[in-house]
Amino acid sequence: SNIIESHNLLKVYNPDTIPVNAVNGVNLQIEEGEFTALVGPSGSGKTTLLNLIGGLDYPTGGDVKIEGVDISKMSENKLIDFRLKNIGFVFQAYNLIPVLTASENVEFVMLLQKTPKREREQRAVQLLNEVGLQDKLNKRPSELSGGQQQRVAVARALASKPRFILADEPTANLDSKSTENLLEIMAKLNAEDKMTFIFSTHDQRVIDKARRVVTLVDGKIVSDVKR
Ligand code: ADP
Ligand code: ADP
């Protein structure tokens, strides 16, 4: 069944000056358990589309449904709550809180959800274990490599038990070994836990690991291949 559905999705930046149709009529259905790469040239609308699907921004037209719930007309407060419960994010620049340790970064999401302390701690250990960082629990981001920081970001994205994870160029700042390692972890979470992933990328080795490749050009889907 579809976990994400967009219908005639449109995002126009600068509507009153020099309008840019960053996303221009996107109809996309993502099924539970898919492992999808979003590709296309720089400026084709990948980040904008991920932001709309993830409820980080509102569309100019059309809608986004997450498990049948239309998020495009939700109030901002409801949307913040909905995002926290349902969607995990991984960004290009890791976005970890510098003064918190790896496990505190992972726990932070659960703190917002008022998860009891003992459960938070246990789950953070378990998640950091899943991404191979069981020996880095008490390290701050500055003490970790880029690849390790991004694995903390994946553990953090999983902390709220989201329905799916959106990742915007997650390997952009990683060397090839860390890229391979991160992809392996994502693929394992997809295969074993049926976690749904959508990730934008320019990296052919990352694209090669995807089970579905959606290509954007000028804000439109020009190809959609499952394999
Ligand atoms: P990609 O992620 O594929 O590089 P983006 O979604 O970042 O593409 O950008 C799509 C288009 O929208 C580009 O032409 C970009 O310059 C424009 N754009 C993106 N964000 C904004 C913004 N906040 N204001 C104005 N234009 C923007
Ligand atoms: P990427 O290529 O990884 O998508 P960009 O460098 O295009 O990232 O965009 C980084 C940030 O700048 C995003 O938040 C995007 O919304 C914003 N942005 C991109 N293009 C424009 C633009 N033409 N005007 C204003 N903001 C923009």
Side-chain angles (χ1 to χ4, degrees):
S1 62
N2 288 334
I3 194 163
I4 305 168
E5 261 183 57
S6 85
H7 182 242
N8 292 341
L9 198 58
L10 174 71
K11 180 68 185 185
V12 182
Y13 291 114
N14 309 325
D16 304 320
T17 52
I18 307 159
V20 178
N21 291 1
V23 165
N24 198 356
V26 166
N27 294 294
L28 179 65
Q29 283 96 41
I30 299 288
E31 281 182 45
E32 180 154 32
E34 285 189 335
F35 199 64
T36 303
L38 187 59
V39 307
S42 185
S44 57
K46 301 180 298 293
T47 297
T48 304
L49 180 57
L50 288 175
N51 287 348
L52 294 174
I53 289 173
L56 292 170
D57 200 358
Y58 288 101
T60 310
D63 56 49
V64 175
K65 291 193 176 119
I66 307 295
E67 295 189 308
V69 177
D70 187 350
I71 63 165
S72 33
K73 282 147 204 105
M74 237 179 224
S75 73
E76 200 146 358
N77 280 337
K78 270 197 170 168
L79 192 54
I80 289 169
D81 192 50
F82 186 90
R83 271 203 311 262
L84 193 59
K85 285 202 184 99
N86 294 285
I87 310 175
F89 295 94
V90 176
F91 301 97
Q92 178 175 331
Y94 324 133
N95 287 15
L96 301 174
I97 301 172
V99 297
L100 300 183
T101 65
S103 64
E104 287 165 348
N105 265 282
V106 176
E107 281 182 51
F108 187 70
V109 174
M110 295 182 271
L111 189 67
L112 295 177
Q113 292 189 322
K114 305 190 168 62
T115 307
K117 184 170 161 63
R118 163 125 356 137
E119 192 184 329
R120 284 202 310 264
E121 289 172 354
Q122 284 176 347
R123 187 155 168 77
V125 171
Q126 178 213 325
L127 288 169
L128 286 166
N129 190 35
E130 274 187 54
V131 299
L133 292 176
Q134 55 285 342
D135 55 345
K136 306 287 181 196
L137 300 177
N138 298 318
K139 299 284 183 203
R140 297 227 168 84
S142 61
E143 299 173 288
L144 300 172
S145 71
Q148 290 167 342
Q149 290 183 58
Q150 198 60 307
R151 284 188 273 148
V152 175
V154 170
R156 179 188 55 186
L158 290 164
S160 60
K161 303 183 181 166
R163 300 292 292 124
F164 58 93
I165 289 184
L166 299 177
D168 194 1
E169 303 253 10
T171 64
N173 295 315
L174 302 184
D175 60 32
S176 54
K177 186 119 202 339
S178 302
T179 293
E180 197 177 309
N181 190 269
L182 188 76
L183 254 288
E184 237 169 64
I185 286 165
M186 286 166 52
K188 180 167 152 264
L189 290 164
N190 175 253
E192 290 176 8
D193 304 339
K194 302 273 173 288
M195 180 51 68
T196 306
F197 281 88
I198 306 174
F199 44 94
S200 68
T201 184
H202 282 112
D203 187 334
Q204 189 57 47
R205 288 159 305 178
V206 175
I207 298 169
D208 288 344
K209 297 275 192 326
R211 309 261 314 282
R212 178 176 177 186
V213 181
V214 173
T215 307
L216 280 181
V217 172
D218 291 339
K220 292 182 198 299
I221 294 178
V222 296
S223 103
D224 185 349
V225 180
K226 292 187 191 178
R227 58 203 188 186

